[in-house]
Amino acid sequence: QVQLVESGGGLVQAGGSLRLSCAASGSLFSINAMGWYRQAPGKQRELVATITRLGRTNYADSVKGRFTISGDNAKNTVYLQMNSLKPEDTAVYYCNADVRRSALSTSADYWGQGTQVTVSS
C-alpha cells in the first residue's frame, strides 16, 4: 500500500502565507511525480502544481508567481509554499503521487485525504 499524509492547512487572512507538506510512505519502488490539486465547494478538482522526480515543475496559471512547489526525494515529501493567498484559493488541497510499487508494476496514482485551506477576506 501507499500512504500520503498531508499537513499544513488552516485559516489565513488574504495576503498571508501557508506551507503544505505531503509525505509518502509504504511500497515505494519509485515516485515519478508528486503534486497538489484542490477542490472548492461546488467545483471540480483542479491541478495546482506538480513536480517530477527530476525537479521539473508545472503550475496552474492562477497560482503562478504566488505558489512554489518543491520536493525532497530522500524523504519522499513534497511541499507547497503558498504566498499572497486570495479568498479564491479556499479549497481542500489534495496531495497526489505517481508511484511504482515494484520493479514489475506499472505506475499508479495515489491520493491523500486532503487538507482544508481557508483564506478570509
Side-chain angles (χ1 to χ4, degrees):
Q1 281 288 2
V2 174
Q3 295 83 39
L4 301 178
V5 178
E6 302 127 330
S7 60
L11 172 64
V12 64
Q13 288 188 331
S17 298
L18 284 174
R19 188 187 192 219
L20 305 183
S21 299
C22 172
S25 62
S27 302
L28 306 173
F29 176 75
S30 67
I31 300 178
N32 300 318
M34 296 185 75
W36 293 94
Y37 292 71
R38 67 186 181 187
Q39 187 167 17
K43 294 188 176 182
Q44 290 188 330
R45 190 172 298 188
E46 63 177 4
L47 179 145
V48 177
T50 59
I51 185 167
T52 69
R53 180 167 50 88
L54 297 180
R56 183 172 297 177
T57 59
N58 181 49
Y59 294 93
D61 288 342
S62 59
V63 306
K64 283 181 180 177
R66 300 188 298 123
F67 292 9
T68 301
I69 190 169
S70 60
D72 186 332
N73 291 337
K75 296 181 178 180
N76 297 320
T77 299
V78 64
Y79 307 95
L80 185 69
Q81 179 65 44
M82 305 185 292
N83 298 329
S84 302
L85 282 160
K86 305 175 181 179
E88 50 263 44
D89 294 318
T90 295
V92 177
Y93 284 68
Y94 295 91
C95 178
N96 170 269
D98 179 29
V99 176
R100 284 183 68 191
R101 294 179 59 189
S102 74
L104 299 178
S105 66
T106 57
S107 63
D109 271 341
Y110 294 86
W111 295 90
Q113 297 278 359
T115 184
Q116 177 70 46
V117 171
T118 303
V119 184
S120 63
S121 57

